[in-house]
Every structure is written in structure tokens, then in C-alpha cells.
């Protein structure tokens, strides 16, 4: 039932602009491809580490999708910590949701918890 929001089906319907999509990654190969495409870029990537069973993750999801439409010059990625445990461990994710801000292949900041205002503010700060 909830697969519509946990798959790329949402991304295909979110908007006509590729940059405004939340990319839901479900395999290590898809993460590796995304990382390779952006690690040398100065473009901001916001990685949402979440879980389907996490209440705060479900609470912030509509705001995260809205921000993806608002900040079309930012890459928004969603990773389920249960599906991609190795990626979550690589980024030292210990609580959900965790939003990691990456620029030029390096973490520049993170927000732990469903803190919509802080998330919005940091995206505005680091996207420039």
C-alpha cells in the first residue's frame, strides 16, 4: 500500500523538472551511481535517512518533498535505513530521520530529527 511513496513512482509525478525530484534509492548500486554523479559537484545534496516504521520520518516527508519542489537547484535523496544499512552505517546514522548535507563530496552539515524549520534554513544556507 505505502509503496507509492517509497518508490520512484512519486519522483515520476512530483514535477516536470528533474532537479526538483526526491530520488528514492533502493539499492547500493543506485546509491553508488548517484554518489559518483554528485561527489565532485559543488551542488548541494540533501540525503534523508529514514525508515518506513518511523513516525517522525512520515511526519516530515511532505515537507521534504515540498522543499524539493521549492529548491530546484538542490538534489534531494531518500534512503531507507533498513534497505541500505551499509550506506546508513557509512554516514554514521544513529537516529531517524537524519538529513545529511553534502557538497563537493563532503558532509557540510546535518539535521537529526523532524526539524522542518532547521532543515529549510540549512538548505537555504548551503545551496548558494
Amino acid at each position: 500500500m505505502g509503496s507509492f511513496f517509497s518508490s520512484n513512482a512519486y519522483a515520476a509525478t512530483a514535477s516536470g523538472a528533474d532537479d526538483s525530484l526526491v530520488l528514492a534509492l533502493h539499492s547500493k548500486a543506485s546509491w553508488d551511481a548517484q554518489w559518483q554523479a554528485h561527489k565532485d559537484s559543488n551542488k548541494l545534496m540533501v540525503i534523508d535517512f529514514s525508515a518506513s516504521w518511523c513516525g517522525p520520518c512520515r511526519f516530515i516527508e511532505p515537507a521534504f518533498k515540498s522543499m524539493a519542489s521549492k529548491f530546484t537547484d538542490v538534489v534531494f535523496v531518500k534512503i531507507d535505513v533498513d534497505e541500505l544499512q551499509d550506506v546508513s552505517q557509512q554516514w554514521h546514522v544513529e537516529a531517524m530521520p537524519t538529513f545529511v548535507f553534502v557538497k563537493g563530496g563532503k558532509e557540510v552539515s546535518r539535521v537529526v530529527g523532524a526539524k522542518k524549520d532547521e532543515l529549510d534554513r540549512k538548505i537555504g544556507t548551503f545551496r548558494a
Side-chain angles (χ1 to χ4, degrees), residues 91-93 98-101 107-112 118 122:
W91 288 95
H92 307 288
V93 174
T98 293
F99 300 92
V100 177
F101 297 77
E107 179 178 336
V108 294
S109 190
R110 71 173 49 201
V111 172
V112 178
E118 185 178 351
K122 285 193 177 191

Side-chain angles (χ1 to χ4, degrees), residues 14 66 84 128:
S66 176
L84 297 178

Side-chain angles (χ1 to χ4, degrees), residues 6-8 23-36 47 49 77-88 90-91:
S6 63
S7 72
N8 285 331
L23 302 171
L25 304 180
H26 298 283
S27 71
K28 178 80 165 71
S30 63
W31 162 251
D32 289 344
Q34 188 66 30
W35 179 249
Q36 287 302 317
I47 310 165
F49 288 96
V77 175
K78 180 178 174 107
I79 293 180
D80 186 305
V81 297
D82 293 324
E83 285 182 341
L84 297 178
Q85 292 178 357
D86 52 343
V87 177
S88 303
Q90 171 190 350
W91 288 95

